[in-house]
Amino acid sequence: MYNPGFHHIQNYPMVCLYLNLYQITDEELNLRSEVKDLKAAQDTISMTDEFAKYAKFQRRIDKLLVTIKEHSSFRAKHTAMLTFGVKIGIHVMHVV
């Protein structure tokens, strides 16, 4: 299970919101699986004997990893915004 870095019980509502709103999508899971498969296939290729084929696999892997990083960056940005919003809400509630 992914641990978004919430360690205190007071953050329980944020954890619940995060897990429900910003789950890893099926697309991202498929991309990760494809990277795993490509790396396994790349490991069977000799880098020195078949460099062009090896490099082609590496370019495909790199392209997929960039896409995965974009997805995780999106989640991280929205998680930070959610955390900030909840903290502001809690402070407003304490003032009122």
Side-chain angles (χ1 to χ4, degrees):
M1 184 172 148
Y2 177 73
N3 180 0
F6 302 121
H7 303 291
H8 304 289
I9 193 70
Q10 69 187 26
N11 293 324
Y12 182 74
M14 285 188 286
V15 172
C16 290
L17 281 172
Y18 173 81
L19 292 176
N20 288 323
L21 293 176
Y22 303 115
Q23 295 178 352
I24 295 176
T25 63
D26 289 337
E27 178 187 359
E28 188 175 351
L29 290 174
N30 290 337
L31 289 173
R32 289 175 186 231
S33 174
E34 190 174 344
V35 167
K36 184 178 172 184
D37 294 342
L38 285 172
K39 283 185 178 183
Q42 186 184 37
D43 288 342
T44 64
I45 299 169
S46 171
M47 182 193 274
T48 54
D49 295 337
E50 301 179 79
F51 181 75
K53 191 174 183 180
Y54 186 91
K56 185 177 179 180
F57 272 98
Q58 189 61 49
R59 285 191 302 271
R60 288 173 57 194
I61 290 169
D62 292 343
K63 185 177 179 181
L64 291 173
L65 288 175
V66 166
T67 306
I68 291 169
K69 284 183 182 180
E70 289 171 356
H71 284 273
S72 63
S73 172
F74 173 82
R75 270 197 325 277
K77 182 175 84 172
H78 283 86
T79 300
M81 289 172 39
L82 175 68
T83 302
F84 182 70
V86 169
K87 286 182 179 181
I88 294 287
I90 289 172
H91 287 296
V92 168
M93 295 295 287
H94 280 89
V95 171
V96 174

